[in-house]
Amino acid sequence: MGRPSAELESWLLGLWLLLCSWGCLANTELQAPPDKIAIIGAGIGGTSSAYYLRQKFGKDVKIDLFERQEVGGRLATLKVEGQDFEAGGSVIHPLNLHMKRFVKDLGLSTVPTKGGLVGVYNGETLVFEESSWFIINMIKLVWHYGFQTLRMHMWVEDVLDKFMRIYRYQSHDYAFSSVEKLLHAVGGDDFLGLLNHTLHETLQKAGFSEKFLSEMVAPIMKVNYGQSTNISAFVGAVSMTGADSGLWAVEGGNKVVCSKLLKASKGNLIPGSVMFIEEKTRTTSAGNPTKMYEVVYQTGSETLSDFYDIVLVATPLNQKMSNITFLNFDPPIEEFDQFYKQIVTTLIKGELNSSVFGSGVENQFGLSTVLVTDSSDLFINSLGIVSPVKEEGNPLPSTDGTYVWKIFSPDVLSKKQIMKFFLSYDYAVKKTWRAYPVYQPPQKCPPIVLHDRLYYLNGIEFAASAMEMSAIAGYNAALLAYHRWNGRTDMIDQDGLYEKLKTEL
Ligand SMILES: Cc1cc2nc3c(=O)[nH]c(=O)nc-3n(C[C@H](O)[C@H](O)[C@H](O)COP(=O)(O)OP(=O)(O)OC[C@H]3O[C@@H](n4cnc5c(N)ncnc54)[C@H](O)[C@@H]3O)c2cc1C
Ligand SMILES: *[C@@H]1O[C@H](CO)[C@@H](O)[C@H](O)[C@H]1NC(C)=O
Ligand SMILES: *[C@@H]1O[C@H](CO)[C@@H](O)[C@H](O)[C@H]1NC(C)=O
Ligand SMILES: *[C@@H]1O[C@H](CO)[C@@H](O)[C@H](O)[C@H]1NC(C)=O
Ligand SMILES: *[C@@H]1O[C@H](CO)[C@@H](O)[C@H](O)[C@H]1NC(C)=O
């Protein structure tokens, strides 16, 4: 009688061990936190990850942020006659919950970004012109496009609805080790498939007309991503949300979110350019050999280096943008040969020549934004009146009656090109960006985990590039680094979370 019970006992022990390897870790002591974490890049991705890393790892970990230019990165302002205007990322959607939360947590204020009336120019004439009368707009839209505008709205809302599940997963601390797994977790195969198809073919299949695609959808892709409707359907949907109402910006400039996040995270800003990252074995003060990452950076004419337990790369990894070399990794970590589109922001204070748009009587021109179709071989992507970052409500003309206009274009504009649209101008400033990825479906996203404790945030831009996407990637990387540090594999890459969390609440 002794043997079966011993067998049962060992079987039970085995079962316990098995269950324990799944669940008990959850109750065991956490690892001692890391000593030092490096973040490369102090844009919204890097600073939001610093904020969330601090929350997860606690007050004792040292967090260094390397930034070779300005805190804010692609969130930046340009000055026109002493006033600041957004030059990079400018509008935020009302359902961008991380950005909303930052503004609230950091005690910042928002300003609505009222667009004014929009027209669509095809290089010869305005093919669509918004009216200030809501009912007239509705009639115009239905007249031109039937109920496609409404159906478009529903299609975008459906994508957004699913995507917003990520907030619930993140609030329950779940992390993902790849962008594809993250997208799959929010909406399954169909959702992930949005990366594989162009917006054009997706909407064509859904029954939208060529006229609607070229006059309504293409101009929105052009102003938001400088590309055609051949971008992937996911970034296309994100871009369409830029046509929703209720868009806002941060008073004083969106970049203020980054400097405030940096301060709140008690991160240490190191002005310098990171050149190399190398894994090395170091002996700790207790005498144990430990694998760490050496970060080599240049500051002024000096080359310095320091060691870190965890490294987050929060800038696009390519030679033109970050130029970081990974030394002695096996397998090697290569640069991702994925291209970023050049976009030039030009701010012009002057008087528009509205007859360019063939819109009848001069002083009846009431549009404040002109979008362009793909067919026009124009040298601009969009043109619109903007307000300074400190101002609420509709843009006001300056005392001489002129406005400040913002133009996006693929190349730097010559004086002659500017004069094609203006009667006169007395001020023009510009900034050239490597703005966002060139989207070419089927779209593959670079990995998040580059090595054991080395993470990469900006692969998410290949799904879609936006402030909120970088913030989502920042939170995800912080959670992922935390769970991997503590061996909590049960918190990583869980599929079917939607159903699971639904029954939990
Ligand atoms: C013209 C334009 C308009 C846009 N409009 C919108 C919009 O309306 N709404 C929206 O949501 N998004 C918009 N975007 C996109 C949005 O701005 C970006 O997706 C977002 O700001 C990216 O943030 P990030 O932190 O991931 O990268 P970045 O802001 O690029 O930050 C990376 C940082 O890393 C630094 N860095 C790079 N290499 C190194 C190195 N080797 N060592 C040290 N530091 C390094 C860089 O200097 C930079 O500051 C727009 C972008 C552009 C360019
Ligand atoms: C997307 O396309 C790739 C090939 O480019 C394929 O391997 C993958 O299975 C596709 N994914 C989906 C969800 O359709
Ligand atoms: C989109 O891609 C198709 C097929 O590659 C091409 O024929 C078409 O010209 C592209 N459209 C635009 C607007 O670039
Ligand atoms: C990139 O960095 C390497 C080594 O630090 C340097 O030799 C090269 O000139 C840099 N390239 C660019 C495009 O900045
Ligand atoms: C304004 O634009 C129209 C149409 O392109 C052009 O004929 C006219 O010469 C322009 N006016 C000025 C002052 O440049």
Side-chain angles (χ1 to χ4, degrees):
M1 288 301 282
R3 286 196 66 82
S5 92
E7 232 165 63
L8 182 66
E9 227 168 76
S10 74
W11 183 82
L12 281 175
L13 180 69
L15 182 68
W16 184 80
L17 284 174
L18 183 68
L19 288 176
C20 209
S21 69
W22 293 338
C24 295
L25 269 177
N27 307 316
T28 55
E29 286 276 295
L30 294 175
Q31 291 268 336
D35 288 332
K36 281 170 86 178
I37 301 178
I39 299 169
I40 303 164
I44 187 67
T47 54
S48 64
S49 66
Y51 186 72
Y52 287 122
L53 281 166
R54 174 67 68 207
Q55 289 188 355
K56 297 315 293 178
F57 281 115
K59 64 177 178 25
D60 292 330
V61 54
K62 187 162 183 274
I63 301 176
D64 284 347
L65 279 98
F66 292 89
E67 174 53 60
R68 69 172 173 207
Q69 287 172 342
E70 306 267 310
V71 172
R74 273 171 278 168
L75 307 184
T77 52
L78 275 174
K79 261 198 197 331
V80 175
E81 292 194 327
Q83 289 189 300
D84 294 319
F85 296 82
E86 292 290 355
S90 54
V91 299
I92 304 169
H93 192 272
L95 295 176
N96 286 170
L97 300 190
H98 285 307
M99 291 304 291
K100 250 175 119 162
R101 176 182 167 184
F102 294 153
V103 162
K104 186 163 161 278
D105 286 4
L106 302 168
L108 295 168
S109 307
T110 64
V111 286
T113 54
K114 290 210 193 82
L117 303 181
V118 180
V120 177
Y121 181 58
N122 71 357
E124 283 166 15
T125 178
L126 292 166
V127 290
F128 183 79
E129 211 174 333
E130 205 178 10
S131 149
S132 52
W133 294 82
F134 177 78
I135 189 72
I136 292 181
N137 270 329
M138 285 301 127
I139 293 167
K140 270 189 175 178
L141 284 169
V142 173
W143 176 257
H144 283 291
Y145 312 109
F147 287 97
Q148 296 188 84
T149 318
L150 184 63
R151 278 182 48 225
M152 187 69 216
H153 192 74
M154 286 160 67
W155 180 79
V156 172
E157 197 150 302
D158 185 52
V159 174
L160 188 61
D161 241 30
K162 290 206 175 86
F163 187 67
M164 287 191 70
R165 292 173 183 171
I166 188 61
Y167 296 118
R168 175 167 308 172
Y169 304 166
Q170 292 193 324
S171 73
H172 283 80
D173 268 10
Y174 287 100
F176 299 91
S177 67
S178 77
V179 176
E180 279 85 357
K181 284 184 176 136
L182 185 156
L183 292 179
H184 195 271
V186 303
D189 287 341
D190 286 351
F191 201 84
L192 186 55
L194 293 172
L195 295 185
N196 269 4
H197 303 284
T198 66
L199 180 67
H200 203 101
E201 62 176 311
T202 305
L203 295 182
Q204 232 173 6
K205 272 199 196 121
F208 290 92
S209 73
E210 285 301 323
K211 182 177 160 70
F212 182 72
L213 287 175
S214 77
E215 294 179 1
M216 285 281 120
V217 181
I220 293 171
M221 299 308 124
K222 204 144 196 185
V223 60
N224 287 329
Y225 290 101
Q227 293 165 68
S228 74
T229 52
N230 277 349
I231 65 178
S232 73
F234 181 70
V235 63
V238 169
S239 179
M240 287 306 296
T241 65
D244 284 349
S245 55
L247 303 177
W248 55 282
V250 178
E251 194 183 62
N254 295 326
K255 67 177 181 185
V256 177
V257 175
C258 300
S259 51
K260 290 264 186 179
L261 283 172
L262 176 62
K263 197 159 170 231
S265 73
K266 300 201 165 63
N268 172 40
L269 180 68
I270 301 179
S273 186
V274 171
M275 300 189 295
F276 306 105
I277 299 174
E278 183 172 3
E279 195 194 24
K280 285 196 171 161
T281 304
R282 292 259 292 170
T283 310
T284 59
S285 47
N288 308 317
T290 326
K291 297 218 154 176
M292 295 188 91
Y293 297 108
E294 184 178 28
V295 173
V296 180
Y297 60 99
Q298 196 157 27
T299 174
S301 56
E302 275 186 303
T303 301
L304 302 171
S305 83
D306 209 343
F307 286 88
Y308 296 91
D309 300 291
I310 295 173
V311 176
L312 271 66
V313 178
T315 177
L317 276 177
N318 64 54
Q319 227 187 17
K320 285 186 176 140
M321 294 173 79
S322 54
N323 197 17
I324 297 168
T325 308
F326 296 92
L327 292 174
N328 302 327
F329 282 91
D330 183 29
I333 302 169
E334 313 265 6
E335 274 170 1
F336 306 102
D337 57 346
Q338 283 161 318
F339 300 106
Y340 273 63
K341 185 127 200 114
Q342 171 175 292
I343 295 289
V344 181
T345 305
T346 311
L347 294 174
I348 296 161
K349 185 173 172 293
E351 198 180 342
L352 196 74
N353 180 359
S354 58
S355 49
V356 172
F357 304 106
S359 103
V361 195
E362 188 78 17
N363 54 15
Q364 274 188 2
F365 190 77
L367 301 181
S368 53
T369 301
V370 178
L371 304 180
V372 303
T373 62
D374 261 332
S375 50
S376 58
D377 47 348
L378 275 170
F379 43 81
I380 66 164
N381 291 345
S382 64
L383 177 151
I385 297 175
V386 284
S387 297
V389 295
K390 287 207 156 49
E391 214 159 89
E392 270 186 67
N394 285 320
L396 297 169
S398 68
T399 44
D400 62 4
T402 62
Y403 289 94
V404 175
W405 295 81
K406 183 194 277 187
I407 297 182
F408 287 140
S409 58
D411 296 299
V412 173
L413 299 173
S414 66
K415 212 169 169 160
K416 195 166 155 232
Q417 285 175 322
I418 295 175
M419 281 311 286
K420 167 129 202 266
F421 294 102
F422 289 84
L423 293 168
S424 67
Y425 70 94
D426 45 33
Y427 214 91
V429 286
K430 64 168 194 302
K431 187 160 178 77
T432 303
W433 299 102
R434 295 205 180 273
Y436 14 67
V438 173
Y439 293 102
Q440 285 169 316
Q443 195 70 59
K444 263 186 61 100
C445 300
I448 296 175
V449 182
L450 296 180
H451 188 254
D452 209 9
R453 286 155 287 114
L454 174 58
Y455 302 95
Y456 178 36
L457 274 64
N458 290 70
I460 204 162
E461 289 191 75
F462 289 84
S465 175
M467 292 174 234
E468 184 71 8
M469 295 301 285
S470 287
I472 286 171
Y475 195 6
N476 181 64
L479 290 169
L480 188 63
Y482 179 72
H483 293 321
R484 282 167 62 96
W485 183 262
N486 291 305
R488 289 290 307 269
T489 48
D490 59 317
M491 296 304 289
I492 301 168
D493 292 340
Q494 293 289 329
D495 219 347
L497 274 179
Y498 182 64
E499 292 306 318
K500 188 171 160 190
L501 295 178
K502 209 156 73 175
T503 53
E504 212 168 79
L505 288 179

